Coordinates of all heavy atoms in Angstrom, one line a residue:
M1 N -108.4 4.5 -40.7 CA -109.6 4.6 -39.9 C -110.4 3.3 -39.9 O -111.1 3.0 -39.0 CB -110.5 5.7 -40.5 CG -111.7 6.0 -39.8 SD -112.5 7.5 -40.2 CE -114.1 7.0 -40.6
L2 N -110.2 2.4 -40.9 CA -110.9 1.2 -41.0 C -110.4 0.1 -40.0 O -111.2 -0.6 -39.5 CB -110.9 0.6 -42.4 CG -111.6 1.4 -43.5 CD1 -111.5 0.8 -44.9 CD2 -113.1 1.6 -43.1
R3 N -109.1 0.1 -39.8 CA -108.6 -0.9 -38.9 C -109.1 -0.7 -37.5 O -109.5 -1.7 -36.8 CB -107.0 -0.9 -38.9 CG -106.4 -1.9 -38.0 CD -104.9 -2.0 -38.1 NE -104.3 -2.8 -37.1 CZ -103.6 -2.4 -36.1 NH1 -103.3 -1.1 -36.0 NH2 -103.1 -3.2 -35.2
P4 N -109.1 0.5 -36.9 CA -109.7 0.7 -35.6 C -111.2 0.3 -35.6 O -111.7 -0.3 -34.6 CB -109.5 2.2 -35.3 CG -108.3 2.5 -36.1 CD -108.4 1.7 -37.4
L5 N -111.9 0.7 -36.6 CA -113.4 0.3 -36.6 C -113.6 -1.2 -36.7 O -114.4 -1.7 -36.0 CB -114.0 1.0 -37.8 CG -114.2 2.5 -37.7 CD1 -114.8 3.1 -39.0 CD2 -115.1 2.9 -36.5
Y6 N -112.7 -1.9 -37.4 CA -112.8 -3.3 -37.5 C -112.5 -3.9 -36.1 O -113.2 -4.9 -35.7 CB -111.8 -3.9 -38.5 CG -111.8 -5.4 -38.7 CD1 -112.9 -6.0 -39.2 CD2 -110.8 -6.2 -38.2 CE1 -113.0 -7.4 -39.3 CE2 -110.8 -7.5 -38.3 CZ -111.9 -8.2 -38.8 OH -111.9 -9.5 -38.9
T7 N -111.5 -3.4 -35.4 CA -111.2 -3.8 -34.1 C -112.4 -3.6 -33.1 O -112.7 -4.5 -32.3 CB -110.0 -3.1 -33.5 OG1 -108.9 -3.3 -34.4 CG2 -109.6 -3.5 -32.1
I8 N -113.1 -2.5 -33.2 CA -114.2 -2.3 -32.4 C -115.3 -3.3 -32.6 O -115.9 -3.8 -31.7 CB -114.8 -0.8 -32.6 CG1 -113.8 0.2 -32.1 CG2 -116.1 -0.6 -31.9 CD1 -114.1 1.6 -32.5
V9 N -115.6 -3.6 -33.9 CA -116.6 -4.6 -34.3 C -116.3 -5.9 -33.7 O -117.2 -6.6 -33.2 CB -116.7 -4.7 -35.8 CG1 -117.6 -5.8 -36.2 CG2 -117.3 -3.4 -36.4
K10 N -115.0 -6.3 -33.6 CA -114.7 -7.6 -33.1 C -114.7 -7.8 -31.6 O -114.6 -8.9 -31.1 CB -113.3 -8.0 -33.6 CG -113.2 -8.3 -35.1 CD -111.8 -8.7 -35.6 CE -110.7 -8.6 -34.6 NZ -109.4 -9.1 -35.1
K11 N -114.8 -6.7 -30.9 CA -114.7 -6.7 -29.4 C -115.8 -7.5 -28.8 O -116.9 -7.6 -29.3 CB -114.8 -5.3 -28.9 CG -113.5 -4.5 -29.1 CD -113.5 -3.2 -28.3 CE -112.3 -2.5 -28.5 NZ -111.1 -3.1 -28.0
N12 N -115.5 -8.1 -27.7 CA -116.5 -8.9 -26.9 C -117.2 -7.9 -25.9 O -117.0 -8.0 -24.7 CB -115.8 -10.0 -26.2 CG -116.8 -10.9 -25.6 OD1 -118.0 -10.9 -25.9 ND2 -116.4 -11.7 -24.6
R13 N -118.0 -7.0 -26.5 CA -118.8 -6.1 -25.7 C -120.2 -6.0 -26.2 O -120.5 -6.4 -27.3 CB -118.2 -4.7 -25.8 CG -116.8 -4.5 -25.2 CD -116.5 -3.0 -25.3 NE -115.1 -2.8 -24.8 CZ -114.5 -1.6 -24.9 NH1 -115.1 -0.6 -25.5 NH2 -113.3 -1.5 -24.4
P14 N -121.1 -5.5 -25.4 CA -122.5 -5.3 -25.9 C -122.5 -4.4 -27.1 O -121.7 -3.6 -27.3 CB -123.2 -4.6 -24.7 CG -122.4 -4.9 -23.5 CD -121.0 -5.0 -24.0
L15 N -123.5 -4.7 -28.0 CA -123.6 -4.0 -29.3 C -123.7 -2.5 -29.1 O -123.0 -1.7 -29.8 CB -124.9 -4.5 -30.0 CG -125.1 -3.8 -31.3 CD1 -124.0 -4.0 -32.3 CD2 -126.5 -4.3 -31.9
L16 N -124.4 -2.0 -28.1 CA -124.5 -0.5 -27.9 C -123.2 0.1 -27.5 O -122.9 1.2 -27.9 CB -125.6 -0.2 -26.9 CG -127.1 -0.4 -27.4 CD1 -128.1 -0.1 -26.3 CD2 -127.3 0.4 -28.6
A17 N -122.4 -0.6 -26.7 CA -121.1 -0.1 -26.3 C -120.2 0.0 -27.5 O -119.5 1.0 -27.7 CB -120.5 -1.0 -25.2
R18 N -120.2 -1.1 -28.4 CA -119.4 -1.0 -29.6 C -119.8 0.1 -30.5 O -119.0 0.8 -31.1 CB -119.4 -2.4 -30.3 CG -118.6 -3.4 -29.5 CD -118.6 -4.8 -30.2 NE -120.0 -5.4 -30.0 CZ -120.5 -6.2 -30.9 NH1 -119.9 -6.6 -32.0 NH2 -121.7 -6.7 -30.6
L19 N -121.1 0.2 -30.7 CA -121.7 1.3 -31.6 C -121.3 2.7 -31.0 O -120.9 3.5 -31.8 CB -123.2 1.1 -31.7 CG -123.9 2.1 -32.6 CD1 -123.3 2.0 -34.0 CD2 -125.4 1.9 -32.6
S20 N -121.4 2.9 -29.7 CA -121.1 4.2 -29.2 C -119.6 4.5 -29.4 O -119.2 5.6 -29.7 CB -121.4 4.2 -27.7 OG -121.0 5.3 -27.1
L21 N -118.7 3.5 -29.1 CA -117.3 3.7 -29.3 C -117.0 4.0 -30.8 O -116.2 4.9 -31.1 CB -116.5 2.5 -28.8 CG -115.0 2.6 -28.9 CD1 -114.5 3.7 -28.0 CD2 -114.4 1.3 -28.4
A22 N -117.6 3.3 -31.7 CA -117.4 3.5 -33.1 C -117.8 4.9 -33.6 O -117.1 5.6 -34.3 CB -118.1 2.4 -33.9
L23 N -119.0 5.3 -33.1 CA -119.5 6.6 -33.5 C -118.6 7.7 -32.9 O -118.3 8.7 -33.6 CB -120.9 6.8 -33.1 CG -121.9 6.0 -33.9 CD1 -123.3 6.1 -33.3 CD2 -121.9 6.3 -35.3
T24 N -118.2 7.6 -31.7 CA -117.3 8.5 -31.1 C -116.0 8.6 -31.8 O -115.5 9.7 -32.1 CB -117.0 8.1 -29.6 OG1 -118.2 8.1 -28.9 CG2 -116.0 9.1 -28.9
Y25 N -115.4 7.5 -32.2 CA -114.2 7.4 -33.0 C -114.3 8.1 -34.3 O -113.5 8.9 -34.7 CB -113.7 6.0 -33.1 CG -112.4 5.9 -34.0 CD1 -111.2 6.4 -33.5 CD2 -112.4 5.4 -35.2 CE1 -110.1 6.4 -34.2 CE2 -111.3 5.3 -36.0 CZ -110.1 5.8 -35.5 OH -109.0 5.7 -36.3
V26 N -115.4 7.9 -35.0 CA -115.6 8.5 -36.3 C -115.8 10.0 -36.2 O -115.2 10.8 -37.0 CB -116.9 7.9 -37.0 CG1 -117.3 8.7 -38.2 CG2 -116.6 6.5 -37.4
R27 N -116.4 10.4 -35.1 CA -116.6 11.9 -34.9 C -115.2 12.5 -34.6 O -114.9 13.6 -35.2 CB -117.5 12.1 -33.7 CG -117.7 13.6 -33.4 CD -118.7 13.9 -32.3 NE -118.3 13.4 -31.0 CZ -117.6 14.1 -30.2 NH1 -117.1 15.3 -30.5 NH2 -117.3 13.6 -29.0
Y28 N -114.4 11.9 -33.8 CA -113.0 12.4 -33.6 C -112.2 12.4 -34.9 O -111.5 13.4 -35.1 CB -112.3 11.5 -32.5 CG -112.8 11.6 -31.1 CD1 -112.5 10.6 -30.2 CD2 -113.7 12.6 -30.7 CE1 -113.0 10.6 -28.9 CE2 -114.2 12.6 -29.4 CZ -113.8 11.6 -28.5 OH -114.3 11.7 -27.2
C29 N -112.3 11.4 -35.7 CA -111.6 11.4 -37.0 C -112.0 12.5 -37.9 O -111.2 13.2 -38.5 CB -111.8 10.0 -37.7 SG -110.9 8.7 -36.9
M30 N -113.3 12.7 -37.9 CA -113.9 13.8 -38.8 C -113.5 15.2 -38.3 O -113.2 16.1 -39.0 CB -115.4 13.7 -38.9 CG -115.9 12.5 -39.6 SD -115.2 12.2 -41.2 CE -115.9 13.6 -42.1
T31 N -113.4 15.3 -37.0 CA -112.9 16.6 -36.4 C -111.5 16.8 -36.8 O -111.1 17.9 -37.2 CB -113.0 16.5 -34.8 OG1 -114.4 16.4 -34.5 CG2 -112.5 17.8 -34.2
L32 N -110.7 15.8 -36.7 CA -109.3 16.0 -37.1 C -109.1 16.3 -38.6 O -108.4 17.2 -39.0 CB -108.5 14.7 -36.8 CG -107.0 14.7 -37.2 CD1 -106.3 15.8 -36.3 CD2 -106.4 13.4 -36.9
R33 N -109.9 15.6 -39.4 CA -109.8 15.8 -40.9 C -110.4 17.2 -41.3 O -109.8 17.9 -42.1 CB -110.4 14.7 -41.7 CG -109.9 13.3 -41.4 CD -108.5 13.1 -41.9 NE -108.0 11.8 -41.8 CZ -107.2 11.3 -40.8 NH1 -106.8 12.1 -39.9 NH2 -106.9 10.1 -40.7
V34 N -111.6 17.5 -40.8 CA -112.3 18.6 -41.3 C -112.0 19.9 -40.6 O -111.5 20.9 -41.1 CB -113.8 18.4 -41.3 CG1 -114.6 19.6 -41.8 CG2 -114.2 17.2 -42.2
A35 N -112.3 19.9 -39.3 CA -112.2 21.1 -38.5 C -110.7 21.5 -38.4 O -110.4 22.7 -38.5 CB -112.8 20.9 -37.1
I36 N -109.8 20.6 -38.1 CA -108.4 20.9 -37.9 C -107.6 20.9 -39.2 O -106.9 21.8 -39.6 CB -107.8 19.9 -36.9 CG1 -108.5 20.2 -35.6 CG2 -106.3 20.1 -36.8 CD1 -108.2 19.2 -34.5
G37 N -107.8 19.9 -40.0 CA -107.1 19.7 -41.3 C -107.5 20.7 -42.4 O -106.7 21.4 -43.0
L38 N -108.8 20.9 -42.5 CA -109.4 21.7 -43.6 C -109.5 23.2 -43.2 O -109.1 24.1 -43.9 CB -110.7 21.1 -44.1 CG -111.3 21.7 -45.3 CD1 -110.4 21.6 -46.5 CD2 -112.7 21.1 -45.6
F39 N -110.1 23.4 -42.0 CA -110.4 24.7 -41.6 C -109.4 25.3 -40.6 O -109.5 26.4 -40.2 CB -111.8 24.8 -40.9 CG -112.9 24.5 -41.9 CD1 -113.7 23.4 -41.8 CD2 -113.2 25.4 -42.9 CE1 -114.7 23.1 -42.7 CE2 -114.2 25.1 -43.8 CZ -115.0 24.0 -43.7
K40 N -108.4 24.5 -40.3 CA -107.2 25.0 -39.5 C -107.6 25.5 -38.1 O -107.0 26.4 -37.5 CB -106.4 26.1 -40.2 CG -106.0 25.7 -41.6 CD -105.0 24.6 -41.5 CE -104.5 24.3 -43.0 NZ -104.2 22.9 -43.2
K41 N -108.7 24.9 -37.5 CA -109.1 25.3 -36.2 C -108.2 24.6 -35.2 O -107.5 23.6 -35.4 CB -110.5 24.7 -35.9 CG -111.6 25.5 -36.5 CD -113.0 25.1 -36.1 CE -113.2 25.5 -34.6 NZ -114.4 25.1 -34.1
T42 N -108.0 25.2 -34.0 CA -107.3 24.7 -32.9 C -108.2 24.2 -31.9 O -109.0 24.9 -31.3 CB -106.4 25.7 -32.3 OG1 -105.5 26.2 -33.3 CG2 -105.6 25.2 -31.1
I43 N -108.2 22.9 -31.7 CA -109.1 22.2 -30.7 C -108.2 21.5 -29.7 O -107.4 20.6 -30.1 CB -110.1 21.3 -31.3 CG1 -111.0 22.1 -32.3 CG2 -110.9 20.6 -30.3 CD1 -111.9 21.2 -33.1
N44 N -108.3 21.8 -28.4 CA -107.4 21.1 -27.5 C -108.2 20.6 -26.3 O -107.7 20.4 -25.2 CB -106.2 21.9 -27.0 CG -106.7 23.3 -26.5 OD1 -107.8 23.6 -26.4 ND2 -105.7 24.1 -26.3
E45 N -109.5 20.3 -26.5 CA -110.3 19.6 -25.5 C -111.4 18.8 -26.2 O -111.9 19.2 -27.2 CB -110.8 20.5 -24.4 CG -111.9 21.4 -24.7 CD -112.4 22.1 -23.5 OE1 -111.6 22.8 -22.9 OE2 -113.6 22.0 -23.2
E46 N -111.8 17.7 -25.6 CA -112.9 16.8 -26.1 C -113.6 16.2 -24.9 O -113.1 16.3 -23.8 CB -112.3 15.7 -26.9 CG -112.2 15.9 -28.4 CD -113.6 16.2 -29.1 OE1 -114.7 16.0 -28.5 OE2 -113.5 16.5 -30.3
R47 N -114.8 15.7 -25.2 CA -115.5 15.0 -24.2 C -115.5 13.5 -24.6 O -115.7 13.2 -25.8 CB -116.9 15.5 -24.1 CG -116.9 16.9 -23.6 CD -118.1 17.3 -22.7 NE -118.5 16.5 -21.6 CZ -118.0 16.6 -20.4 NH1 -117.1 17.4 -20.1 NH2 -118.4 15.8 -19.4
F48 N -115.3 12.6 -23.6 CA -115.5 11.2 -23.8 C -116.3 10.6 -22.7 O -115.8 10.7 -21.5 CB -114.1 10.5 -24.0 CG -114.3 9.0 -24.2 CD1 -114.9 8.5 -25.3 CD2 -113.8 8.1 -23.2 CE1 -115.0 7.1 -25.4 CE2 -113.9 6.8 -23.4 CZ -114.5 6.3 -24.5
E49 N -117.5 10.1 -23.0 CA -118.4 9.7 -21.9 C -118.6 10.8 -21.0 O -119.0 11.9 -21.4 CB -117.9 8.4 -21.3 CG -117.9 7.2 -22.3 CD -117.4 5.9 -21.7 OE1 -117.0 5.9 -20.6 OE2 -117.5 4.9 -22.5
Q50 N -118.3 10.6 -19.7 CA -118.6 11.7 -18.7 C -117.3 12.6 -18.5 O -117.3 13.5 -17.6 CB -119.1 11.2 -17.4 CG -118.1 10.5 -16.6 CD -118.0 9.0 -16.8 OE1 -118.4 8.5 -17.9 NE2 -117.6 8.2 -15.9
F51 N -116.2 12.3 -19.2 CA -115.0 13.0 -19.0 C -114.7 14.1 -19.9 O -115.0 14.1 -21.1 CB -113.8 12.0 -19.0 CG -113.9 10.9 -18.1 CD1 -114.3 9.6 -18.5 CD2 -113.7 11.1 -16.7 CE1 -114.5 8.6 -17.6 CE2 -113.8 10.1 -15.8 CZ -114.2 8.8 -16.2
R52 N -114.1 15.2 -19.4 CA -113.6 16.3 -20.3 C -112.1 16.1 -20.3 O -111.4 16.0 -19.3 CB -113.9 17.6 -19.6 CG -113.4 18.8 -20.4 CD -113.8 20.1 -19.7 NE -112.9 21.2 -20.1 CZ -111.9 21.6 -19.3 NH1 -111.7 21.1 -18.1 NH2 -111.1 22.6 -19.7
I53 N -111.5 15.9 -21.5 CA -110.1 15.7 -21.7 C -109.5 16.9 -22.4 O -109.9 17.4 -23.4 CB -109.9 14.4 -22.6 CG1 -110.6 13.2 -22.0 CG2 -108.4 14.1 -22.8 CD1 -110.8 12.1 -23.0
V54 N -108.4 17.4 -21.8 CA -107.6 18.5 -22.3 C -106.3 18.0 -22.8 O -105.6 17.2 -22.1 CB -107.5 19.6 -21.2 CG1 -106.7 20.8 -21.8 CG2 -108.8 20.1 -20.7
F55 N -105.9 18.4 -24.0 CA -104.6 17.9 -24.5 C -104.0 19.0 -25.4 O -104.6 19.9 -25.8 CB -104.9 16.7 -25.4 CG -106.2 16.9 -26.3 CD1 -106.1 17.5 -27.5 CD2 -107.4 16.4 -25.9 CE1 -107.2 17.7 -28.3 CE2 -108.5 16.6 -26.7 CZ -108.4 17.3 -27.9
P56 N -102.7 18.8 -25.6 CA -101.9 19.8 -26.4 C -102.1 19.8 -27.9 O -102.0 20.8 -28.6 CB -100.5 19.6 -26.0 CG -100.4 18.1 -25.7 CD -101.8 17.8 -25.1
D57 N -102.5 18.6 -28.4 CA -102.5 18.4 -29.9 C -103.6 17.3 -30.2 O -103.6 16.3 -29.6 CB -101.1 17.9 -30.3 CG -101.1 17.5 -31.8 OD1 -100.8 18.4 -32.6 OD2 -101.3 16.3 -32.0
Y58 N -104.5 17.6 -31.2 CA -105.6 16.7 -31.5 C -105.1 15.4 -32.1 O -105.7 14.4 -31.8 CB -106.6 17.4 -32.4 CG -108.0 16.8 -32.3 CD1 -108.9 17.4 -31.4 CD2 -108.4 15.7 -33.0 CE1 -110.2 16.9 -31.3 CE2 -109.6 15.2 -32.9 CZ -110.5 15.8 -32.0 OH -111.8 15.2 -31.8
A59 N -104.1 15.4 -32.9 CA -103.6 14.2 -33.5 C -103.0 13.3 -32.5 O -103.3 12.1 -32.5 CB -102.6 14.5 -34.6
T60 N -102.3 13.8 -31.5 CA -101.8 13.0 -30.4 C -103.0 12.4 -29.6 O -102.9 11.3 -29.2 CB -100.9 13.9 -29.5 OG1 -99.9 14.4 -30.3 CG2 -100.4 13.1 -28.3
F61 N -104.0 13.3 -29.3 CA -105.1 12.8 -28.6 C -105.8 11.6 -29.3 O -106.1 10.6 -28.7 CB -106.2 13.9 -28.4 CG -107.6 13.4 -28.1 CD1 -107.9 12.8 -26.9 CD2 -108.5 13.5 -29.1 CE1 -109.2 12.3 -26.7 CE2 -109.8 13.0 -28.9 CZ -110.1 12.4 -27.6
L62 N -106.0 11.7 -30.6 CA -106.6 10.6 -31.4 C -105.8 9.4 -31.4 O -106.3 8.3 -31.2 CB -106.9 11.1 -32.8 CG -107.7 10.1 -33.7 CD1 -109.0 9.8 -33.1 CD2 -107.9 10.6 -35.1
G63 N -104.5 9.5 -31.5 CA -103.6 8.3 -31.5 C -103.7 7.6 -30.1 O -103.7 6.4 -30.1
L64 N -103.7 8.4 -29.0 CA -103.7 7.8 -27.7 C -105.1 7.2 -27.5 O -105.3 6.2 -26.8 CB -103.4 8.8 -26.6 CG -101.9 9.2 -26.6 CD1 -101.7 10.4 -25.6 CD2 -101.1 8.0 -26.1
F65 N -106.2 7.8 -28.0 CA -107.5 7.3 -27.8 C -107.6 5.9 -28.5 O -108.1 5.0 -27.9 CB -108.5 8.3 -28.5 CG -109.9 7.8 -28.4 CD1 -110.7 8.0 -27.2 CD2 -110.5 7.1 -29.4 CE1 -112.0 7.6 -27.1 CE2 -111.8 6.6 -29.3 CZ -112.6 6.9 -28.1
E66 N -107.0 5.8 -29.7 CA -107.0 4.5 -30.4 C -106.3 3.5 -29.5 O -106.8 2.4 -29.3 CB -106.3 4.6 -31.7 CG -107.1 5.3 -32.8 CD -106.3 5.5 -34.1 OE1 -105.2 5.0 -34.2 OE2 -106.9 6.1 -35.0
E67 N -105.1 3.8 -29.1 CA -104.2 2.9 -28.3 C -104.9 2.5 -27.0 O -104.8 1.3 -26.7 CB -102.9 3.6 -28.0 CG -101.9 2.8 -27.3 CD -100.6 3.6 -27.0 OE1 -100.1 4.1 -28.0 OE2 -100.2 3.7 -25.8
I68 N -105.5 3.4 -26.3 CA -106.0 3.1 -25.0 C -107.5 2.5 -25.0 O -107.7 1.5 -24.4 CB -106.0 4.3 -24.1 CG1 -104.6 4.8 -23.9 CG2 -106.8 4.1 -22.8 CD1 -104.4 6.2 -23.3
F69 N -108.4 3.1 -25.8 CA -109.8 2.7 -25.8 C -110.2 1.7 -26.9 O -111.1 0.9 -26.7 CB -110.7 3.9 -25.8 CG -110.5 4.8 -24.6 CD1 -109.8 6.0 -24.7 CD2 -111.0 4.4 -23.4 CE1 -109.6 6.8 -23.6 CE2 -110.8 5.2 -22.2 CZ -110.1 6.4 -22.3
I70 N -109.5 1.7 -28.0 CA -109.8 0.8 -29.1 C -109.0 -0.5 -29.0 O -109.5 -1.6 -29.0 CB -109.7 1.5 -30.4 CG1 -110.8 2.6 -30.5 CG2 -110.0 0.4 -31.6 CD1 -110.8 3.4 -31.7
Y71 N -107.6 -0.3 -29.0 CA -106.7 -1.5 -29.0 C -106.5 -2.0 -27.5 O -105.9 -3.1 -27.4 CB -105.4 -1.1 -29.6 CG -105.6 -0.8 -31.1 CD1 -105.2 0.5 -31.6 CD2 -106.2 -1.6 -32.0 CE1 -105.4 0.8 -32.9 CE2 -106.4 -1.3 -33.3 CZ -106.0 -0.1 -33.8 OH -106.2 0.3 -35.1
E72 N -106.9 -1.2 -26.5 CA -106.8 -1.6 -25.1 C -105.4 -2.1 -24.7 O -105.2 -3.1 -24.1 CB -107.9 -2.7 -24.8 CG -109.3 -2.1 -25.0 CD -110.3 -3.2 -24.7 OE1 -110.1 -4.4 -24.8 OE2 -111.5 -2.8 -24.4
E73 N -104.4 -1.3 -25.1 CA -103.0 -1.6 -24.8 C -102.8 -1.8 -23.3 O -101.8 -2.5 -22.9 CB -102.1 -0.5 -25.4 CG -102.1 -0.5 -26.9 CD -101.4 -1.7 -27.5 OE1 -100.5 -2.2 -26.9 OE2 -101.9 -2.1 -28.6
Y74 N -103.5 -1.1 -22.5 CA -103.2 -1.1 -21.0 C -104.2 -2.1 -20.3 O -104.1 -2.2 -19.1 CB -103.4 0.3 -20.4 CG -102.4 1.3 -20.9 CD1 -102.7 2.2 -21.9 CD2 -101.1 1.3 -20.4 CE1 -101.8 3.1 -22.3 CE2 -100.1 2.2 -20.9 CZ -100.5 3.1 -21.8 OH -99.6 4.0 -22.3
A75 N -105.0 -2.8 -21.0 CA -105.9 -3.7 -20.3 C -105.2 -4.9 -19.8 O -104.2 -5.4 -20.4 CB -107.0 -4.2 -21.3
F76 N -105.5 -5.4 -18.6 CA -104.9 -6.5 -18.0 C -105.9 -7.2 -17.0 O -106.8 -6.5 -16.5 CB -103.6 -6.2 -17.3 CG -103.7 -5.3 -16.1 CD1 -103.8 -5.8 -14.8 CD2 -103.8 -3.9 -16.2 CE1 -103.9 -5.0 -13.7 CE2 -104.0 -3.1 -15.1 CZ -104.0 -3.7 -13.8
S77 N -105.6 -8.4 -16.7 CA -106.4 -9.2 -15.7 C -105.6 -9.2 -14.4 O -104.4 -9.3 -14.4 CB -106.7 -10.6 -16.2 OG -107.5 -10.5 -17.3
T78 N -106.4 -9.2 -13.3 CA -105.7 -9.3 -12.0 C -106.7 -10.0 -11.0 O -107.9 -9.9 -11.2 CB -105.3 -7.9 -11.5 OG1 -104.7 -8.1 -10.2 CG2 -106.5 -7.0 -11.3
Q79 N -106.1 -10.6 -10.0 CA -106.9 -11.2 -9.0 C -107.3 -10.2 -7.9 O -108.2 -10.4 -7.1 CB -106.2 -12.4 -8.4 CG -105.9 -13.5 -9.4 CD -107.1 -14.1 -10.0 OE1 -108.1 -14.3 -9.3 NE2 -107.1 -14.4 -11.2
K80 N -106.5 -9.1 -7.8 CA -106.7 -8.1 -6.8 C -107.9 -7.1 -7.2 O -108.0 -6.8 -8.3 CB -105.5 -7.3 -6.6 CG -104.3 -8.1 -6.1 CD -103.1 -7.2 -5.8 CE -102.7 -7.4 -4.4 NZ -102.0 -6.4 -3.8
S81 N -108.6 -6.7 -6.2 CA -109.7 -5.8 -6.4 C -109.2 -4.3 -6.5 O -109.8 -3.4 -7.0 CB -110.8 -5.9 -5.4 OG -110.2 -5.6 -4.1
D82 N -108.0 -4.1 -5.9 CA -107.4 -2.8 -5.9 C -105.9 -2.9 -6.2 O -105.0 -2.6 -5.4 CB -107.6 -2.1 -4.5 CG -107.0 -2.9 -3.4 OD1 -106.7 -4.1 -3.6 OD2 -106.8 -2.4 -2.3
P83 N -105.5 -3.2 -7.5 CA -104.1 -3.3 -7.8 C -103.4 -1.9 -7.8 O -104.1 -0.9 -8.0 CB -104.2 -3.9 -9.2 CG -105.4 -3.4 -9.8 CD -106.4 -3.4 -8.6
V84 N -102.1 -2.0 -7.5 CA -101.3 -0.7 -7.6 C -100.8 -0.6 -9.0 O -100.2 -1.5 -9.5 CB -100.2 -0.8 -6.6 CG1 -99.3 0.4 -6.7 CG2 -100.7 -0.9 -5.2
I85 N -101.1 0.6 -9.6 CA -100.7 0.8 -11.0 C -99.9 2.1 -11.0 O -100.3 3.1 -10.5 CB -101.9 1.0 -11.9 CG1 -102.8 -0.2 -11.9 CG2 -101.5 1.4 -13.3 CD1 -104.1 -0.1 -12.5
L86 N -98.6 2.0 -11.5 CA -97.8 3.1 -11.6 C -97.8 3.6 -13.0 O -97.3 2.9 -13.9 CB -96.3 2.8 -11.2 CG -96.2 2.3 -9.7 CD1 -94.7 1.9 -9.5 CD2 -96.6 3.3 -8.7
D87 N -98.3 4.8 -13.3 CA -98.2 5.4 -14.6 C -97.1 6.4 -14.7 O -97.2 7.5 -14.1 CB -99.6 6.0 -15.0 CG -99.6 6.6 -16.4 OD1 -98.6 6.5 -17.1 OD2 -100.6 7.2 -16.8
C88 N -96.0 6.0 -15.3 CA -94.8 6.9 -15.3 C -94.6 7.5 -16.6 O -93.5 7.9 -17.0 CB -93.6 6.1 -14.9 SG -93.7 5.3 -13.2
G89 N -95.6 7.7 -17.4 CA -95.6 8.3 -18.7 C -95.3 9.8 -18.6 O -95.4 10.4 -17.6
S90 N -95.1 10.3 -19.8 CA -94.8 11.8 -19.8 C -95.8 12.5 -20.8 O -95.5 13.6 -21.3 CB -93.4 12.0 -20.3 OG -93.2 11.5 -21.6
N91 N -96.9 12.0 -21.0 CA -97.9 12.6 -21.9 C -98.9 13.3 -21.0 O -98.6 13.7 -19.9 CB -98.5 11.6 -22.8 CG -98.7 12.2 -24.2 OD1 -99.3 13.3 -24.3 ND2 -98.2 11.5 -25.2
F92 N -100.2 13.4 -21.4 CA -101.1 14.3 -20.7 C -102.1 13.4 -19.8 O -103.1 13.9 -19.4 CB -101.9 15.2 -21.6 CG -102.6 14.5 -22.8 CD1 -103.9 14.1 -22.6 CD2 -102.0 14.3 -24.0 CE1 -104.6 13.5 -23.7 CE2 -102.6 13.7 -25.0 CZ -103.9 13.3 -24.9
G93 N -101.8 12.2 -19.5 CA -102.5 11.4 -18.5 C -103.8 10.8 -19.0 O -104.6 10.4 -18.2
L94 N -104.0 10.5 -20.3 CA -105.2 9.9 -20.8 C -105.4 8.5 -20.3 O -106.5 8.1 -20.0 CB -105.3 10.0 -22.3 CG -106.5 9.5 -23.0 CD1 -107.7 10.4 -22.5 CD2 -106.4 9.6 -24.5
S95 N -104.3 7.8 -20.1 CA -104.5 6.4 -19.7 C -105.0 6.3 -18.2 O -105.6 5.3 -17.9 CB -103.1 5.6 -19.8 OG -102.2 6.2 -19.0
V96 N -104.7 7.3 -17.4 CA -105.1 7.3 -16.0 C -106.6 7.5 -16.0 O -107.3 7.0 -15.2 CB -104.3 8.3 -15.2 CG1 -104.7 8.2 -13.8 CG2 -102.8 8.1 -15.4

């Protein structure tokens, strides 16, 4: 949990954006550890900003959240205002 938080702190974003992302990530981690790990609840949807995300497994959701929103694995620069992006993955479409 510390490595993703350290990555958020180092980002070149406004302070409030980094704080919001960090608090959201901590909340998701606590949900996984407490609600799911300790109390054995089944949770298969979350809210992130204005989006409602539905997923099959919370641990998978958290891993993809880290990969996409914290480590920004899919971020790229382009000169085009409307690039064509093909997402041929087989998960639940969080990157889209």
Side-chain angles (χ1 to χ4, degrees):
M1 185 165 127
L2 292 179
R3 182 173 171 250
L5 289 174
Y6 180 70
T7 301
I8 293 169
V9 168
K10 291 184 350 179
K11 285 189 179 300
N12 187 19
R13 291 187 182 173
L15 178 61
L16 287 179
R18 287 182 284 154
L19 183 59
S20 175
L21 184 60
L23 291 174
T24 300
Y25 177 68
V26 168
R27 182 173 67 82
Y28 293 162
C29 287
M30 294 305 294
T31 299
L32 180 63
R33 302 290 187 259
V34 177
I36 295 167
L38 188 61
F39 294 113
K40 307 296 184 208
K41 286 187 69 178
T42 300
I43 299 173
N44 52 7
E45 75 175 58
E46 267 297 353
R47 295 211 52 87
F48 177 62
E49 295 180 355
Q50 73 269 23
F51 301 103
R52 178 178 156 259
I53 304 167
V54 179
F55 45 83
D57 172 88
Y58 205 92
T60 301
F61 159 71
L62 185 59
L64 288 172
F65 181 84
E66 289 175 2
E67 181 179 308
I68 295 166
F69 296 105
I70 296 175
Y71 299 121
E72 298 178 334
E73 294 289 329
Y74 294 102
F76 67 96
S77 296
T78 181
Q79 299 297 321
K80 296 184 126 203
S81 62
D82 59 346
V84 175
I85 300 170
L86 300 176
D87 183 1
C88 301
S90 62
N91 222 308
F92 55 92
L94 186 60
S95 65
V96 182

